Amino acid sequence: MRFYSWNVNGFRSVLKKGFMDWLEETEPDVLSLQEIRCEWEEADLGVRRQIESAYDVCWFPATSKKGYAGAATFAKKELGFTHAKGLGVDGYDAEGRMIVSRRDKLVFIGGYFPNASQGLVRLPFKRQFARDLAALVMKHHAAGDQVILTGDMNVAPEEIDLARPKDNVKNPGFTPEEREDFKLYLGAGLVDVLRERNPAVPGLYTWWTARGGARERNVGWRIDLFLASRTLLDRVKDTRIHAEVLGSDHCPISLELL
Amino acid sequence: MRFYSWNVNGFRSVLKKGFMDWLEETEPDVLSLQEIRCEWEEADLGVRRQIESAYDVCWFPATSKKGYAGAATFAKKELGFTHAKGLGVDGYDAEGRMIVSRRDKLVFIGGYFPNASQGLVRLPFKRQFARDLAALVMKHHAAGDQVILTGDMNVAPEEIDLARPKDNVKNPGFTPEEREDFKLYLGAGLVDVLRERNPAVPGLYTWWTARGGARERNVGWRIDLFLASRTLLDRVKDTRIHAEVLGSDHCPISLELL
DNA sequence: CGTGATAAG
DNA sequence: CTTAACACG
């Protein structure tokens, strides 16, 4: 089963840049999208029909602000996933952040983790989000579920996960607080699958600022991740960063389970 | 002496669409621009230097709102025009609307007349503007000046001046009030030069909505005009609408005096 | 620097 | 439909 996650930075934008070609070539079983930045009805009708013919679609836009944030999860119909919108906390759910999907004992949580923002003005919001989400993961583990947590986590966990760690200690995405909170997910029994399998490999990034040719020079950050329950690790066949896929300032990532 | 007027709908935009080529080919003696929508310093430095080497430049952006309205007048240096910004009324002058230029007894008034706006919310503002401007023209005539008044007047004077008069009687630019106020300029001793020389010629338009191929089908309005003192008429060699010049939703117009 | 909302025309 | 400002990333 092949899981994908991609922050598309505007679903309508990425549709103009070959998203449907990518989808048809890639045929993910489960796909989490972030920063969809539109209502489902605002996307091209032919596209919607084509996607709906193959996938159970959960579209979860922000209600708090038009064109802001929002997440979606598509799961191949034959897999029988059920989708649930939100974490049950109005503050996050109004921004269309997280979707919880389930098949039997497998819980797939995908979405768009808060950005701490300029001046770290949303750091408190982001910290509370991390606590609540880690608690949810623990609850699922206590209930005997296995969990995949993915999306744009808006944090690079370690120095190796960004090209310029020294320059970014005070910047959103690499503050000590955000890195500390990332460990809450690990403490809840999840593993950063790509880093587990590629310890000490530098240059593995999923996001590059649009300013000044950063992507060409691979001056990036690894902030899109697959975390999985430790008990799932022996089923991991592969996990990858698809840096060659263009269309957004983020690239897709994937996790394949046996 | 060749006078031009052009609503460029953003000076920086029209610069990207060949404005400088047009300027070099056309070499107007005096040029009034409307909807410049930027500060002079925001335009390309090479462009500014090139223009300033040939013209006395009067740049009059709105101070009330960034990127809104604004007018400019360029006059060939050797002609010795002097420029004055505004009509002396804060309400109009904060929007960078009118520039009064003079050489001896010739007064050239160019600029961007108010749009009555959706719901005609600015009709009262526009009516006061018309009264004040007509009074200024009368004052100049009383002092023995000859006047050229030009720009985007945001009114089609007569049914012949727009493609769909019946559909637009309640719309900004063709209300009875705006047409009535247009007659104030005529009452002040000015003549609509193009219509004077081309009575009953339909299809002479200077603006076309960007929506739905209106320009290709010549579904337009004549709202950019040269009005001139009746005493100037025997010096009029030519007046034209340059509908072939692209780059804005308006086209340039010209008046040539002997 | 790019996406999208918004105001204005 | 287009320009430009703005918010956000």
Side-chain angles (χ1 to χ4, degrees):
Chain A
M1 191 146 42
R2 290 156 53 248
F3 300 87
Y4 277 76
S5 168
W6 193 5
N7 178 323
V8 293
N9 191 23
F11 186 65
R12 286 168 296 180
S13 167
V14 86
L15 280 182
K16 295 180 203 145
K17 298 173 183 166
F19 175 83
M20 290 307 285
D21 292 341
W22 174 83
L23 189 68
E24 285 177 49
E25 287 162 20
T26 308
E27 278 202 65
D29 291 305
V30 181
L31 171 61
S32 166
L33 298 178
Q34 303 96 43
E35 283 206 270
I36 53 177
R37 301 178 68 174
C38 67
E39 307 287 327
W40 183 239
E41 293 69 27
E42 291 174 306
D44 178 83
L45 180 58
V47 162
R48 273 147 50 204
R49 286 189 173 144
Q50 193 177 337
I51 292 171
E52 284 176 330
S53 73
Y55 290 95
D56 290 318
V57 171
C58 180
W59 195 263
F60 189 35
T63 54
S64 62
K65 206 182 294 191
K66 270 200 75 158
Y68 175 70
T73 298
F74 305 163
K76 276 282 177 72
K77 283 184 165 177
E78 57 271 25
L79 296 177
F81 273 88
T82 58
H83 297 302
K85 294 174 180 174
L87 301 181
V89 179
D90 286 350
Y92 323 136
D93 296 350
E95 297 182 354
R97 293 204 171 267
M98 304 304 288
I99 294 169
V100 181
S101 308
R102 170 186 289 275
R103 190 177 76 153
D104 305 323
K105 301 300 268 180
L106 179 64
V107 174
F108 177 92
I109 308 174
Y112 182 43
F113 297 44
N115 188 306
S117 295
Q118 282 313 108
L120 305 176
V121 290
R122 293 203 94 193
L123 184 56
F125 178 85
K126 184 175 186 175
R127 300 202 76 170
Q128 190 57 48
F129 174 93
R131 278 176 179 68
D132 290 346
L133 181 54
L136 177 69
V137 171
M138 285 193 276
K139 198 190 75 178
H140 283 296
H141 280 157
D145 296 324
Q146 290 181 304
V147 175
I148 296 170
L149 177 61
T150 190
D152 173 0
M153 304 198 181
N154 265 315
V155 59
E158 302 293 341
E159 296 209 341
I160 196 176
D161 295 311
L162 67 169
R164 306 264 187 267
K166 302 288 180 253
D167 299 342
N168 285 294
V169 230
K170 292 181 173 177
N171 289 340
F174 199 60
T175 60
E177 292 87 348
E178 290 165 279
R179 295 173 62 192
E180 190 62 32
D181 289 351
F182 176 78
K183 298 197 177 106
L184 294 171
Y185 308 131
L186 309 182
L190 299 177
V191 175
D192 175 353
V193 183
L194 187 118
R195 189 53 72 200
E196 176 89 359
R197 295 164 66 99
N198 304 277
V201 177
L204 301 175
Y205 308 134
T206 65
W207 174 78
W208 305 264
T209 176
R211 296 156 232 198
R215 190 160 183 173
E216 296 69 57
R217 294 180 291 126
N218 198 33
V219 178
W221 301 50
R222 191 172 69 95
I223 57 179
D224 302 87
L225 292 87
F226 273 100
L227 310 189
S229 302
R230 185 160 289 285
T231 59
L232 274 172
L233 287 188
D234 53 6
R235 285 179 57 198
V236 173
K237 185 177 168 197
D238 189 31
T239 188
R240 304 180 80 90
I241 292 172
H242 302 271
E244 72 287 0
V245 179
L246 306 179
S248 166
D249 50 348
H250 297 249
C251 74
I253 58 174
S254 64
L255 174 71
E256 184 169 3
L257 292 191
L258 292 172
Chain B
M1 190 145 42
R2 293 156 51 248
F3 301 87
Y4 278 76
S5 168
W6 194 4
N7 179 323
V8 291
N9 191 24
F11 186 64
R12 286 168 298 180
S13 166
V14 87
L15 280 182
K16 295 180 203 147
K17 297 173 184 164
F19 175 83
M20 291 306 288
D21 292 340
W22 174 82
L23 189 69
E24 285 176 49
E25 287 162 19
T26 308
E27 278 201 65
D29 290 305
V30 181
L31 170 62
S32 167
L33 298 178
Q34 303 96 42
E35 283 205 270
I36 53 176
R37 300 178 68 176
C38 67
E39 307 287 328
W40 182 238
E41 291 70 26
E42 292 173 305
D44 178 85
L45 180 59
V47 162
R48 272 147 51 204
R49 287 190 172 143
Q50 192 177 338
I51 292 170
E52 284 176 331
S53 72
Y55 291 96
D56 290 318
V57 171
C58 180
W59 194 264
F60 189 35
T63 54
S64 60
K65 204 181 296 192
K66 269 201 74 158
Y68 176 70
T73 299
F74 304 162
K76 275 281 176 74
K77 283 183 163 177
E78 57 270 26
L79 296 177
F81 273 88
T82 58
H83 298 303
K85 294 173 179 175
L87 301 181
V89 178
D90 287 348
Y92 323 136
D93 296 348
E95 297 182 354
R97 294 203 169 269
M98 304 304 289
I99 294 169
V100 181
S101 308
R102 169 187 289 274
R103 189 177 76 155
D104 305 325
K105 300 301 268 181
L106 180 65
V107 174
F108 177 92
I109 308 175
Y112 182 43
F113 297 44
N115 188 306
S117 296
Q118 282 314 108
L120 305 175
V121 290
R122 294 203 92 192
L123 185 57
F125 179 85
K126 183 174 186 173
R127 299 203 74 169
Q128 190 56 48
F129 174 93
R131 277 174 180 72
D132 290 345
L133 182 53
L136 177 70
V137 171
M138 284 193 276
K139 197 190 75 179
H140 282 297
H141 281 157
D145 296 324
Q146 289 180 306
V147 176
I148 296 171
L149 177 61
T150 190
D152 174 0
M153 303 198 181
N154 264 315
V155 59
E158 302 293 340
E159 295 208 342
I160 196 176
D161 294 311
L162 67 170
R164 307 265 186 267
K166 302 287 181 251
D167 299 341
N168 286 294
V169 232
K170 292 180 173 176
N171 289 340
F174 199 60
T175 60
E177 291 87 347
E178 288 165 278
R179 296 174 61 193
E180 190 62 33
D181 289 350
F182 177 79
K183 297 197 179 103
L184 294 171
Y185 307 132
L186 309 183
L190 298 176
V191 176
D192 176 353
V193 182
L194 187 118
R195 189 53 73 200
E196 175 90 0
R197 293 163 67 100
N198 303 278
V201 177
L204 302 175
Y205 307 133
T206 65
W207 175 79
W208 305 264
T209 177
R211 295 156 234 203
R215 190 160 184 174
E216 295 69 58
R217 294 179 292 125
N218 198 31
V219 178
W221 300 48
R222 190 172 70 94
I223 57 180
D224 302 87
L225 292 86
F226 273 100
L227 311 187
S229 303
R230 184 161 289 288
T231 57
L232 273 172
L233 287 187
D234 53 6
R235 285 179 57 197
V236 173
K237 183 174 169 200
D238 189 31
T239 188
R240 303 182 81 90
I241 292 172
H242 302 271
E244 73 287 0
V245 179
L246 305 179
S248 166
D249 52 347
H250 296 249
C251 74
I253 58 174
S254 66
L255 174 72
E256 183 169 5
L257 293 190
L258 292 171

